[in-house]
Amino acid sequence: MEEDEDVPTLSAETFAALQEFYTEQQKRQEILTKLEADDKLKENIIFDENWQLSQFWYDEVTVQTLVKVVDKTVADGGRVALISCPTLFVPVKRQIGNRATVTLLEYDRRFDVHSPDFIFYDYNTPDKLPPEILASYDLVLADPPFISDECITKTSHTIKLLAKDKIVVCTGAVMQQRVEELLNLKLCSFQPHHRNNLANEFSCYSNFDLDRLLR
């Protein structure tokens, strides 16, 4: 018997999967290297907005306010999911990452640099989620990328699959009725704002007294 007969071989599918994995790893490392060279890793916002993806970053006051809400809401050993609000990930992770789990569900694969805390998420397939994360989050904070009935409906479905307690949604004020109908959330006095002033008025909704936490 020749020695080569004892060497295991990979199927074409397995080999292709390995190639894809190593390619993704290489791309992630290239992005991290560039971010480090540009001294971006110390900043809360490490990527520019992609308007084609309807990305509009929060201003600093809004970021710090929402971080405060997360910090006061999630207990030690708790879990928070951030859906389509990638600019919150870094400051939230810095604030509570040493005592709680922070997961980012996001369509923009640039934020894959935050793996393993990053999960690719497309609101068009709202139930395409790892089974182990279902009904596991003490707080789900979401900012649907589009102000539309379809987007809030599908994102709400995802929120229901993930949440086991508290929910916060930041979206256009015109979506108030749909947010209340879909998730039974109430309008908060706190209003989120963005670095680039948007024409649409934004509001915050929750299923607990969020405003009380900010007093």
Side-chain angles (χ1 to χ4, degrees):
M1 181 167 55
E2 296 184 7
E3 293 182 3
D4 287 349
E5 293 181 8
D6 293 329
V7 179
T9 57
L10 298 175
S11 67
E13 292 81 4
T14 302
F15 184 72
L18 279 174
Q19 279 190 314
E20 183 180 1
F21 171 77
Y22 286 120
T23 299
E24 289 178 354
Q25 290 285 94
Q26 183 179 1
K27 288 180 180 177
R28 184 182 302 128
Q29 188 56 50
E30 289 173 355
I31 293 173
L32 281 170
T33 300
K34 186 177 188 308
L35 289 171
E36 186 173 13
D38 295 342
D39 203 27
K40 284 271 192 177
L41 292 178
K42 297 177 183 177
E43 300 179 13
N44 287 341
I45 301 173
I46 60 177
F47 295 114
D48 294 329
E49 298 164 330
N50 183 340
W51 292 351
Q52 290 183 329
L53 297 180
S54 188
Q55 289 179 339
F56 303 97
W57 299 156
Y58 295 133
D59 65 16
E60 189 60 23
V61 172
T62 297
V63 168
Q64 294 308 316
T65 301
L66 291 173
V67 168
K68 183 177 180 180
V69 170
V70 175
D71 190 23
K72 289 192 171 187
T73 302
V74 180
D76 291 354
R79 293 167 58 82
V80 55
L82 306 174
I83 302 177
S84 304
C85 43
T87 50
L88 285 182
F89 177 80
V90 171
V92 168
K93 184 77 172 179
R94 285 175 180 159
Q95 185 70 20
I96 68 167
N98 63 335
R99 63 176 186 82
T101 299
V102 184
T103 305
L104 173 64
L105 292 91
E106 170 59 36
Y107 184 82
D108 188 346
R109 289 191 182 275
R110 292 180 299 172
F111 291 92
D112 185 37
V113 295
H114 297 311
S115 291
D117 299 315
F118 170 90
I119 296 174
F120 176 75
Y121 172 71
D122 183 350
Y123 78 87
N124 290 298
T125 52
D127 54 359
K128 191 174 182 180
L129 303 164
E132 64 272 15
I133 71 171
L134 300 180
S136 70
Y137 289 97
D138 303 288
L139 172 65
V140 176
L141 197 163
D143 188 336
F146 298 100
I147 301 176
S148 70
D149 185 77
E150 179 190 28
C151 187
I152 190 61
T153 299
K154 291 181 176 179
T155 302
S156 294
H157 179 64
T158 301
I159 292 171
K160 291 177 182 178
L161 291 175
L162 297 179
K164 64 177 185 177
D165 190 5
K166 295 181 171 59
I167 297 170
V168 175
V169 171
C170 297
T171 188
V174 296
M175 304 307 297
Q176 179 175 349
Q177 182 176 346
R178 290 299 287 144
V179 172
E180 292 175 349
E181 293 171 349
L182 292 165
L183 295 166
N184 195 29
L185 305 186
K186 301 302 180 186
L187 178 67
C188 304
S189 296
F190 163 70
Q191 285 186 295
H193 296 280
H194 300 79
R195 292 197 303 175
N196 295 309
N197 293 325
L198 303 182
N200 296 313
E201 180 184 354
F202 267 68
S203 295
C204 182
Y205 310 86
S206 69
N207 63 350
F208 61 97
D209 194 349
L210 181 147
D211 295 316
R212 183 179 62 81
L213 297 178
L214 301 176
R215 293 184 191 130

